[in-house]
Amino acid sequence: MTAEQERAARRRFATLGRSVALFRAFLVEQTDPDHFYGLLADDSVRQVAGYTPLTGRTVLDVGGGPGYFAQAFRAAGAHYVGLDPDVGDFSAAGSAAGMLRGSGTALPVRTGSVDVCFSSNVLEHVSEPHRMLDEMARVTRPGGILFVSFTPWLSPWGGHETAPWHYLGGDRARRRYERRMGRPPKNRFRETLFPVSISDALRWTRGNGEVEVLDALPRYHPWWGRWIVRVPGAREIGSWNFLLVLRRAGARPDGLGQASVGTGDSPAAAGKVGLTGGRVAM
């Protein structure tokens, strides 16, 4: 398939009907998580497959959570490894087999050992988002794909369950939630939820010579809504959820990846490869 055919296929996938279905599912996230996360996982796998084949490829899911994505990626023929700091989440949607406990900012995975490094709506929950991006680039083999999405702070859902009051300040929104609900929110400002911006993410790509941008788009929008990402300021609000699709620089070696874990090759033990310099064409 040519590059033009691939773009056309992605357009056929990113329809208004798809966007409406995802939004309707999002409305029942709390009451029917199986429906929402199952639909999101299937949608995400189909989206990733628009950029790279998945059959036989090793996929590392940073922030894999309860396992919905595990089922979807394995059904697509991928070798799936999920990572999450909360081991209790692993079994919520099935078996915990193939899941790792660890931090996204110090991945216990060998350098250059996965074909696809995937992360869905995790970056805004990390206090050092650039370090997590560095780690995702480190563990991806040359020619491999990084697929990273997150909710920008200025998005209508930027405050998560405290939205839209986060526009008046994260601390104020948190206090309001506690008064109304009698308990703190799960996503606590500057504890488990951090103000990440699209501009920050793009700045990281421009300063990182080890990645090249394949796509930057509003993840859930129909294809004709992609223009919003090209408008600084407006994109922080109008994108709702932002997606970066990156390729790890360098020629891809022969053979498919197989993740190596628990090898002591994490940054804490062996240091990380240099990820500085250069500019990314936008």
Side-chain angles (χ1 to χ4, degrees):
M1 183 181 294
T2 66
E4 184 58 37
Q5 288 173 326
E6 290 176 350
R7 285 193 292 270
R10 290 196 287 269
R11 283 191 172 191
R12 289 194 296 270
F13 162 69
T15 64
L16 179 61
R18 165 201 175 244
S19 299
V20 170
L22 287 169
F23 178 73
R24 286 177 174 171
F26 173 76
L27 295 178
V28 298
E29 176 194 8
Q30 299 295 320
T31 57
D32 191 1
D34 287 348
H35 172 65
F36 171 68
Y37 287 106
L39 180 66
L40 180 61
D42 289 340
D43 181 87
S44 299
V45 169
R46 185 179 174 189
Q47 199 168 31
V48 174
Y51 297 93
T52 183
L54 287 173
T55 301
R57 302 294 169 90
T58 297
V59 176
L60 175 66
D61 182 1
V62 180
Y68 297 98
F69 288 97
Q71 298 173 5
F73 274 110
R74 287 169 181 159
H79 302 300
Y80 175 91
V81 179
L83 179 140
D84 199 276
D86 187 355
V87 70
D89 280 348
F90 290 167
S91 60
S95 171
M99 305 294 283
L100 298 172
R101 182 178 182 180
S103 168
T105 58
L107 296 174
V109 177
R110 189 184 300 277
T111 295
S113 63
V114 303
D115 298 296
V116 178
C117 198
F118 173 90
S119 181
S120 174
N121 299 324
V122 174
L123 201 66
E124 69 267 34
H125 301 291
V126 176
S127 61
E128 298 178 281
H130 287 191
R131 186 174 176 187
M132 176 172 148
L133 292 171
D134 283 347
E135 279 292 273
M136 291 182 67
R138 177 184 67 81
V139 303
T140 304
R141 65 176 57 247
I145 298 297
L146 286 77
F147 185 103
V148 187
S149 81
F150 65 91
T151 304
W153 176 246
L154 292 180
S155 159
W157 189 241
H160 288 46
E161 68 266 48
T162 68
W165 302 100
H166 68 294
Y167 286 124
L168 300 179
D171 291 323
R172 179 179 293 182
R174 174 178 175 173
R175 291 193 298 268
R176 181 183 183 277
Y177 183 93
E178 291 179 354
R179 287 195 304 269
R180 291 177 61 87
M181 305 302 294
R183 66 178 187 277
K186 175 182 178 182
N187 298 286
R188 299 178 300 281
F189 183 62
R190 295 199 182 279
E191 290 184 20
T192 58
L193 180 64
F194 300 88
V196 182
S197 72
I198 293 174
S199 294
D200 284 342
L202 293 177
R203 192 176 302 114
W204 177 85
T205 66
R206 288 194 293 268
N208 191 314
E210 298 297 327
V211 297
E212 58 179 309
V213 177
L214 297 182
D215 230 337
L217 64 152
R219 182 181 181 186
Y220 305 135
H221 286 25
W223 66 267
W224 41 263
R226 294 178 54 151
W227 63 269
I228 192 66
V229 170
R230 297 194 294 270
V231 185
R235 64 192 176 200
E236 304 291 346
I237 301 171
S239 294
W240 188 278
N241 190 274
F242 179 65
L243 169 64
L244 268 176
V245 184
L246 310 170
R247 178 182 288 121
R248 181 68 156 81
R252 176 183 169 84
D254 293 336
L256 300 176
Q258 186 66 36
S260 301
V261 300
T263 61
D265 198 23
S266 68
K272 64 177 72 173
V273 296
L275 296 176
T276 59
R279 291 183 62 85
V280 176
M282 301 300 292

